[in-house]
C-alpha cells in the first residue's frame, strides 16, 4: 500500500481547478493524470522574447512580441487549420495559425480590426510569415511580455503554454516536502537542493543542479527496483527445459546460422536448462536475424515438453511474426497459433482451448496472450519482441505469481549503449547478435541541402516510375505533435498534386483503421510513396521500398535516424537514404550527419550519439522514447546512472529490506516513480 504522505501527489487531474472534460484528452496525451505528473512536467527550455516594432524587425525562427491587427479569418475545409491574417503597422501580413480545438480560443482572442500583442515564434509559411499557436495574445503593451523569461512546456493539441503553466503552478502548491533518500555526502558534494525545492527551481529557470537532482532521483528509483527484481528472481523457481534436438533438426532453415546466432542460441539453451528462470536480453540490429534465434529457443522449450509464447508490441507485427514463424517451423510439425485482441468468438475459443489442453505448442500475439481468460497447460518460456517499455518482463514475473515463473527472452533492435542497457534491463544477461547475415548491401546514404528539394523530388519521381517504392519522413517540430502533423499534411498534399493516388499518409492521430488501410496499400505495392511523421512502425517490412527521404535530418538523434533508415535495404535492390538538411548547421549536427553516411553499425551510432550530445543540450532535448525515463535526459543518464547504480547497491547491502530511515525514504521514492512493484517483491520475497 502506498504511504499516506504521498496521497496529495496522486490526486487525479480532475481535482485541479479548470480541468474538465475538454482538457481530459490533451492532458492524457501528455501523460498528465495526477498532481505528481504535473509537478514533473518540466520545461523543455526557457524562452526570452524580444519586443519588435514590426515584422520587418523579426527574423524567421525568432521568439518575438509584436503588435498585430487581425484583418481576415481563413477557415479551411475538413481538419485543416484556422488562420487569422493579421497586419503590423507598416502593413506586413502574418498568419496566426491554430489547429483543432484551439481555433475557437484563437478566434475569440483575435477579433477583427482590434490590435493585439502577440507573442510567439515567427515561422515561414509559403511566402508569408506565420505564428503557430501563439504563446500569448493580450491587449496590453509588449513591455511586460517582451522581457519575460518563461518556461516552454511540451504541449498537446488543445493546450496552451499559459494553461499548462497555470495548472503546474496549482499542482505544485499541493506538493508536500518529503524526507531525503539521497545519501547526504552525495547531496553535499553536488550542492543539490532538497526534493521539493528542486522541483520549484526547475520550473522557474535554468537550474542544472535542480535538474540533476530530479534526474538522479529517477535513476536511483530505477536502479533500486531492478536490484529488487534481480534479488527476487534469484529466489524464484522455473521449469528446467532440456531439448533433445529432434524438432530443431527438422527445421531446414534456408540459410546457415551466423556465428553470433549460434552463440546466442547456445547461451539461451544453457539458461533454459536451469531451474532459475532465464532473464536474458537478445540485442541485435535490424535484420540481424533475431527471429530465427527466437524460433530455435522456443523449439527447445517445446522439445522439453512445454509451451512457448511470443509477445509482439503491435497487431501488425504479431501477424508478421506469425506468418514468418509458421513458414519456418512448418517442417518441425509444431502447432502455432495467433492470438490478438481482434480475435473474437469461435476462433478465439478454439485457440484458448488449444492453449489449455496443450495441443498448441507456440502462440504468437499481442498483450492478449496474457489476459486473465487465457490459461496455459504448461507455459514455460516467453519471448518479448521489441521491448521498448520498461518492466514488461518484470511485470510478467509478477503475473505468474503462484505458478512457476517462465523463462524470459527479451529481444530488441534498439542499439542502446551499455549504460542504457543497464538502466532499461537491469542486470539481465545479454546475448548480442553482432554479426550480420552475409550478403547485405549497404544503404547508400547522402546528405542533401534542402535548397535542392526540387532535384530530390525529381529523383523520387524517377524512382517511383521505375516501379520502386519510397518513404518520405517529415520534419520533427518541437513542442507540438499537431505541428508535426501539419507539416506532414502539407507535404502529403504537395506530393499528391505531383504523384496522384500513388501517395499515402500515415501519422499518429489517424484512426487505426485509416492508418492500417494506408499501410496495407503501401505494403501491397498499390501505393508507391508513404509520407509519414516519425511513427513508421518498428519492424514493418516492405522490401520493394528502397528509397527513404528524411526531412530536417539534423533534428533527429542518430539512433532514431538509424532506426528509420532500417526500413529500407531489406530487399535485393540497392537502397538509398537521403538526409535533407536545413541551411544553418552547427558543427555537431554536421558531424552527426557525416557519421550516418560513414557507418551502418547501430551500436556505434548509439554510442556516438550519446557522446556528441554530451555538451550543451541539457534542456530542450525531447526524450527519445527509447529510455524508461521521463525526467533524466540521455546525457544525465550517461553521467549519473553509474553513481545511482552503485548507491543503490550499497543501500541494498546495508538495508536490503529498506527498513532504516533512508530505506523508508527510498520506499517513498519507489512509489513516486511507480516502481512500487519493487516494494511488492520485497514483501512477497
Ligand atoms: P531482425 O533481427 O530484424 O528481427 P529477422 O529475423 O527478421 O531480423 O531477419 C532478417 C532477414 O534475414 C530475414 O529475411 C531472415 O530470413 C534473414 N536471415 C536471418 N538469419 C540469416 C542467416 N544466418 N543467413 C541469411 N539470412 C538470414
Ligand atoms: Mg524482428
Amino acid at each position: 500500500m502506498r504511504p499516506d504522505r504521498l496521497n496529495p501527489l496522486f490526486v487525479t487531474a480532475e481535482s485541479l481547478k479548470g480541468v474538465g472534460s475538454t482538457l481530459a484528452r490533451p492532458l492524457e496525451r501528455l501523460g498528465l493524470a495526477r498532481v505528481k505528473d504535473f509537478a514533473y512536467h518540466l520545461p523543455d527550455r526557457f524562452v526570452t522574447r524580444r519586443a519588435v516594432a514590426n515584422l520587418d524587425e523579426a527574423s524567421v525562427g525568432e521568439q518575438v512580441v509584436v503588435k498585430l491587427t487581425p484583418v481576415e479569418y481563413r477557415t479551411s475545409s475538413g481538419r485543416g487549420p484556422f488562420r487569422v491574417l493579421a497586419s503590423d503597422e507598416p502593413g506586413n501580413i502574418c498568419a496566426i495559425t491554430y489547429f483543432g480545438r484551439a481555433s475557437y480560443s484563437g478566434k475569440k482572442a483575435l477579433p477583427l480590426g482590434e490590435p493585439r500583442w502577440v507573442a510567439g515564434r515567427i515561422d515561414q509559411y509559403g511566402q508569408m510569415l506565420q505564428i503557430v499557436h501563439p504563446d500569448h495574445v493580450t491587449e496590453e503593451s509588449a513591455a511586460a511580455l517582451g522581457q519575460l523569461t518563461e518556461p516552454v512546456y511540451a504541449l498537446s493539441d488543445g493546450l496552451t503554454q499559459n494553461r499548462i503553466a497555470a495548472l503546474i503552478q496549482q499542482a505544485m502548491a499541493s506538493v508536500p516536502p518529503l524526507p531525503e533518500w539521497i545519501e547526504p555526502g552525495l547531496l553535499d558534494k553536488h550542492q543539490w537542493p532538497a526534493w521539493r525545492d528542486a522541483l520549484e527551481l526547475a520550473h522557474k529557470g535554468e537550474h542544472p543542479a535542480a535538474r540533476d537532482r530530479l534526474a538522479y532521483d529517477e535513476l536511483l528509483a530505477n536502479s533500486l527496483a531492478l536490484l529488487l527484481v534481480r534479488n527476487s528472481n534469484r529466489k524464484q523457481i522455473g521449469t528446467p527445459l532440456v531439448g533433445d534436438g529432434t524438432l530443431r533438426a527438422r527445421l531446414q532453415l534456408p540459410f546457415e546460422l551466423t556465428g553470433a546466432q549460434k552463440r546466442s542460441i547456445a547461451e539461451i539453451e544453457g539458461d533454459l536448462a536451469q531451474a532459475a528462470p532465464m532473464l536474458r536480453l537478445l540485442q541485435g540490429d535490424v535484420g540481424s536475424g533475431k527471429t530465427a534465434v527466437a524460433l530455435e529457443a522456443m523449439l527447445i522449450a517445446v522439445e522439453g515438453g512445454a509451451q512457448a509464447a511470443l509477445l509482439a508490441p503491435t497487431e501488425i507485427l504479431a501477424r508478421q511474426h506469425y506468418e514468418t514463424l509458421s513458414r519456418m517451423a512448418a517442417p518441425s510439425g509444431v502447432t502455432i497459433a495467433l492470438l490478438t485482441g481482434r480475435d473474437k468468438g469461435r476462433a478465439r475459443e478454439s485457440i484458448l482451448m488449444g492453449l489449455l489442453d496443450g495441443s498448441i505448442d507456440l502462440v504468437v500475439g499481442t498483450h492478449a496472450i496474457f489476459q486473465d481468460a487465457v490459461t496455459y497447460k504448461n507455459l514455460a518460456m516467453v519471448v518479448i519482441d521489441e521491448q521498448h517499455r520498461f518492466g514488461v518482463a518484470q511485470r510478467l514475473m509478477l503475473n505468474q505469481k503462484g505458478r512457476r515463473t517462465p523463462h524470459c527472452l527479451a529481444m530488441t533492435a534498439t542499439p542502446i549503449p551499455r549504460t542504457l542497457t543497464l538502466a532499461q534491463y537491469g542486470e539481465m544477461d545479454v546475448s548480442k547478435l553482432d554479426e550480420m547475415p552475409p550478403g547485405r548491401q549497404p544503404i547508400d546514404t547522402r546528405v542533401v541541402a534542402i535548397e535542392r528539394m526540387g532535384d530530390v523530388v525529381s529523383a523520387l519521381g524517377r524512382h517511383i516510375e521505375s516501379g520502386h517504392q519510397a518513404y518520405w519522413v517529415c520534419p520533427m517540430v518541437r513542442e507540438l505533435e499537431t505541428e508535426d502533423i501539419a507539416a506532414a499534411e502539407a507535404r502529403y498534399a504537395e506530393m499528391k498534386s505531383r504523384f496522384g493516388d500513388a501517395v499515402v499518409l500515415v501519422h499518429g492521430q489517424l484512426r487505426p483503421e485509416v492508418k492500417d488501410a494506408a499501410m496495407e496499400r503501401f505494403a501491397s505495392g498499390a501505393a508507391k510513396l508513404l509520407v509519414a511523421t516519425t511513427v513508421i512502425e518498428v519492424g514493418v517490412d516492405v522490401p520493394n521500398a528502397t528509397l527513404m527521404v528524411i526531412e530536417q535530418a539534423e533534428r533527429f538523434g542518430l539512433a532514431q535516424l538509424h532506426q528509420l533508415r532500417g526500413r529500407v535495404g531489406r530487399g535485393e535492390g540497392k537502397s538509398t537514404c537521403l538526409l535533407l538538411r536545413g541551411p544553418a548547421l552547427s558543427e555537431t549536427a554536421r558531424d552527426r550527419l557525416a557519421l550516418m553516411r560513414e557507418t551502418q553499425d547501430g551500436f556505434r551510432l548509439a554510442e556516438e550519439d550519446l557522446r556528441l550530445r554530451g555538451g550543451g543540450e541539457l534542456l530542450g532535448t525531447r526524450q527519445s522514447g527509447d529510455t524508461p525515463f521521463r525526467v533524466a535526459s540521455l546525457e544525465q543518464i550517461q553521467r549519473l546512472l553509474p553513481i545511482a547504480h552503485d548507491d543503490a547497491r550499497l543501500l541494498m547491502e546495508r538495508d536490503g529490506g529498506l527498513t532504516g530511515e533512508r530505506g523508508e525514504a527510498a520506499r517513498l521514492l519507489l512509489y513516486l516513480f511507480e516502481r512500487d512493484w519493487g516494494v511488492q517483491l520485497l514483501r512477497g520475497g
Side-chain angles (χ1 to χ4, degrees), residues 51 106 191 196 306 427 437 648:
Q191 303 271 297
R196 198 187 182 290
E427 301 187 343

Side-chain angles (χ1 to χ4, degrees), residues 286-287 289-291 317 321 385-386 411 413 539 570:
V286 177
K290 292 185 291 294
T291 319
L317 286 177
H321 269 310
D385 193 22
E386 296 302 346
M411 307 199 291
R570 299 176 153 246

Side-chain angles (χ1 to χ4, degrees), residues 491-518:
R491 192 60 79 215
Y492 170 66
E494 196 184 319
M495 293 295 166
K496 225 175 141 90
S497 73
R498 184 139 181 172
F499 303 116
D501 278 348
V503 192
V504 287
L505 172 70
V506 171
H507 62 66
Q509 281 186 20
L510 292 176
R511 274 180 292 125
E513 311 87 79
V514 178
K515 200 164 107 186
D516 283 2

Side-chain angles (χ1 to χ4, degrees), residues 341-642:
R342 280 196 203 163
D343 298 305
K344 299 265 143 59
R346 293 269 296 277
R348 179 182 154 85
E349 286 307 313
S350 111
I351 293 171
L352 294 191
M353 211 55 187
L355 292 173
L356 183 61
D357 69 18
S359 56
I360 294 173
D361 302 306
L362 300 182
V363 63
V364 178
T366 54
H367 270 99
I369 63 178
F370 292 119
Q371 279 160 4
D372 287 341
V374 186
T375 318
Y376 293 85
K377 181 173 184 221
N378 183 15
L379 178 67
M381 148 134 214
V382 178
V383 179
I384 303 170
D385 193 22
E386 296 302 346
Q387 188 196 6
H388 284 296
R389 246 171 301 125
F390 172 78
V392 179
Q394 287 79 0
R395 269 157 220 264
L396 251 178
M397 299 195 333
L398 284 178
N399 289 345
Q400 297 297 319
K401 252 192 183 154
R403 281 184 252 159
R404 292 198 165 193
T405 307
H407 297 281
C408 175
L409 178 70
M411 307 199 291
T412 180
T414 316
I416 44 178
R418 264 188 320 283
T419 20
L420 269 186
T421 316
L422 192 66
Q424 189 149 8
Y425 302 101
E427 301 187 343
M428 264 174 127
D429 302 305
V430 177
S431 295
K432 256 192 189 181
L433 293 181
D434 48 11
E435 178 189 351
M436 279 286 177
R440 289 285 152 81
Q441 289 207 40
I443 300 165
D444 182 13
T445 303
R446 297 184 208 173
V447 182
V448 182
I450 187 73
E451 290 85 7
R452 291 185 48 212
M453 182 77 150
D455 296 342
V456 171
V457 176
S458 306
L460 174 65
R462 290 193 297 276
H463 181 83
I464 291 174
E465 262 157 43
S466 72
H468 292 100
Q469 291 166 278
Y471 296 100
W472 189 291
V473 181
C474 292
M476 184 163 66
V477 189
R478 269 208 138 113
E479 287 85 26
L480 265 176
E481 198 193 1
T482 38
E483 292 180 27
D484 291 355
I485 289 169
E489 276 176 346
R491 192 60 79 215
Y492 170 66
E494 196 184 319
M495 293 295 166
K496 225 175 141 90
S497 73
R498 184 139 181 172
F499 303 116
D501 278 348
V503 192
V504 287
L505 172 70
V506 171
H507 62 66
Q509 281 186 20
L510 292 176
R511 274 180 292 125
E513 311 87 79
V514 178
K515 200 164 107 186
D516 283 2
M519 281 311 299
E520 192 54 49
R521 276 198 69 211
F522 189 67
S524 72
K528 301 297 179 198
L529 177 64
L530 177 73
V531 176
T533 53
T534 52
V535 299
I536 305 180
E537 289 202 49
V538 204
V540 166
D541 200 10
V542 184
N544 188 44
T546 50
L547 172 65
M548 167 159 293
V549 181
I550 304 177
E551 273 190 72
Q552 289 188 16
E554 71 271 16
R555 286 204 163 187
F556 292 85
L558 285 178
Q560 202 178 5
L561 284 176
H562 177 70
Q563 290 280 313
L564 286 169
R565 181 171 62 179
R567 304 296 110 227
V568 296
R570 299 176 153 246
E572 315 273 276
K574 182 137 192 69
S575 289
T576 307
C577 177
L578 300 180
L579 303 172
L580 299 192
R581 62 161 184 81
L585 281 201
S586 70
E587 202 166 313
T588 318
R590 237 173 249 285
D591 288 352
R592 284 165 60 188
L593 293 184
L595 204 65
M596 281 302 293
R597 226 171 32 211
E598 262 167 47
T599 181
Q600 240 152 276
D601 177 342
F603 288 97
R604 165 133 190 255
L605 286 169
E607 296 276 359
E608 287 294 319
D609 201 14
L610 214 48
R611 195 179 61 75
L612 288 172
R613 278 204 227 187
E617 273 179 85
L618 231 181
L619 296 174
T621 345
R622 193 195 249 187
Q623 288 304 297
S624 69
D626 292 342
T627 84
F629 303 116
R630 232 182 123 158
V631 183
S633 70
L634 279 173
E635 186 277 329
Q636 286 170 318
I637 296 170
Q638 178 88 331
R639 186 161 44 86
L640 299 174
L641 183 74

Side-chain angles (χ1 to χ4, degrees), residues 239 241 298 300-308 361-362 378-381:
T239 314
L241 297 169
M298 291 192 289
I300 297 173
V302 179
E303 285 169 4
Q307 291 167 302
D361 302 306
L362 300 182
N378 183 15
L379 178 67
M381 148 134 214

Side-chain angles (χ1 to χ4, degrees), residues 255-258 261 285-292 437-438 440:
F255 44 74
E256 170 89 2
L257 292 172
T258 63
Q261 283 171 317
D285 216 337
V286 177
S288 60
K290 292 185 291 294
T291 319
R440 289 285 152 81

Side-chain angles (χ1 to χ4, degrees), residues 271-313:
D271 286 359
L272 291 176
Q274 312 296 317
M278 169 170 78
L279 200 52
R280 182 173 285 277
L281 179 68
L282 178 65
Q283 211 175 18
D285 216 337
V286 177
S288 60
K290 292 185 291 294
T291 319
V293 175
L295 177 60
E296 297 256 351
M298 291 192 289
L299 289 184
I300 297 173
V302 179
E303 285 169 4
Q307 291 167 302
L310 190 151
L311 176 67

